[in-house]
Amino acid sequence: TKTAFVINAYNLMIKYAFCKMGIPATSSNRSSFFDDVSINVGGRIFSFNDLEHGILRANTRHPYQLMKRFGSRDSRKRLSLEKLDCRVHFALNCGAKSCPPVKKYTAEAIEDQLELAAMAFCEGGNVVIDVDSCQLYLNKILQWYMADFAASKNDLPQKILQYVRGEKKETLNKLIQQGNVSVKFLEYDWSSDGINFATFEKSDLSEKRKKL
């Protein structure tokens, strides 16, 4: 129940925040957007990073931050999932074009829905196999959160094999068996389809907060 609710809330509130606050267009502004733009859920305040890393990733440290989202004295820590499920990365949409598509998730079918989301994500251009060069190109999400998927970069092909089907699965499995597949990561497209939205700037965050 919690997993489905938080995924849906995250995806919905990203779009709402774009409307109210604008779209971050630089690395610095993206960091501020996901850390500082907050929403009230059941009387508790959460940033987008709180929802993703604090709850859905079982209070696992953000790959580019030193501390976990919820400290030992943070009452929100009890809301964290007990176990990290890497498939949540195939369900969260932060508003960028390289993100997975937004879908509705339900408590009753969350397991099947996450599995389908993983397979759909890996069937498209997020997983590309170049047979001639024996290279596997992956969406950059799998580089940022590699530890959620596998123990090392070399273990990623075997993990991805779980989610691909048909000819792509056969081709990848053959390369793995041959032991000569190398992994590279695709460039991430941070642009958004929300072309009519304002641009989010961390410098005027306080002023925009007053207007919410």
Side-chain angles (χ1 to χ4, degrees):
T1 301
K2 189 185 301 182
T3 301
F5 175 82
V6 176
I7 290 174
N8 291 334
Y10 180 99
N11 290 340
L12 175 64
M13 293 309 297
I14 283 286
K15 300 301 183 185
Y16 179 74
F18 279 3
C19 293
K20 296 292 289 185
M21 309 294 292
I23 299 175
T26 67
S27 177
S28 176
N29 285 331
R30 279 194 292 271
S31 179
S32 177
F33 181 89
F34 292 107
D35 259 341
D36 300 326
V37 175
S38 301
I39 59 176
N40 187 317
V41 182
R44 295 176 182 270
I45 304 301
F46 298 91
S47 69
F48 290 109
N49 277 338
D50 290 336
L51 294 176
E52 179 177 1
H53 308 292
I55 297 180
L56 291 174
R57 295 185 64 235
N59 204 30
T60 301
R61 183 179 61 83
H62 185 293
Y64 297 110
Q65 295 180 354
L66 297 176
M67 306 293 290
K68 293 182 177 182
R69 298 306 302 179
F70 304 147
S72 58
R73 297 184 179 181
D74 193 325
S75 61
R76 298 173 299 172
K77 186 178 179 181
R78 65 181 183 84
L79 300 174
S80 301
L81 296 180
E82 295 182 0
K83 184 179 180 181
L84 192 158
D85 186 335
C86 67
R87 296 175 301 174
V88 298
H89 293 295
F90 303 131
L92 293 176
N93 183 295
C94 71
K97 286 185 178 179
S98 286
C99 284
V102 175
K103 297 181 180 180
K104 178 183 177 181
Y105 294 85
T106 65
E108 297 78 13
I110 186 65
E111 281 297 319
D112 290 340
Q113 290 168 341
L114 285 177
E115 194 67 15
L116 287 172
M119 290 190 291
F121 184 84
C122 293
E123 280 301 306
N126 298 298
V127 175
V128 178
I129 303 171
D130 187 331
V131 177
D132 294 334
S133 62
C134 298
Q135 290 180 338
L136 175 64
Y137 293 89
L138 301 176
N139 185 294
K140 212 168 185 65
I141 289 174
L142 284 105
Q143 180 181 31
W144 295 328
Y145 300 104
M146 189 183 303
D148 294 0
F149 292 92
S152 70
K153 182 179 179 180
N154 291 335
D155 294 323
L156 281 175
Q158 191 65 50
K159 185 65 177 180
I160 293 301
L161 192 64
Q162 300 178 25
Y163 305 124
V164 292
R165 295 171 289 180
E167 184 178 345
K168 181 178 282 189
K169 187 181 187 74
E170 293 176 3
T171 301
L172 179 56
N173 187 51
K174 183 178 180 180
L175 291 179
I176 293 174
Q177 296 303 316
Q178 292 174 348
N180 60 349
V181 59
S182 62
V183 175
K184 291 189 175 182
F185 299 98
L186 301 164
E187 288 299 314
Y188 205 77
D189 186 354
W190 283 105
S191 62
S192 172
D193 291 328
I195 57 175
N196 294 322
F197 292 154
T199 300
F200 171 84
E201 298 286 347
K202 64 178 181 178
S203 59
D204 58 5
L205 179 60
S206 297
E207 181 63 27
K208 289 185 177 181
R209 272 177 171 164
K210 294 176 183 179
K211 297 178 182 178
L212 291 178

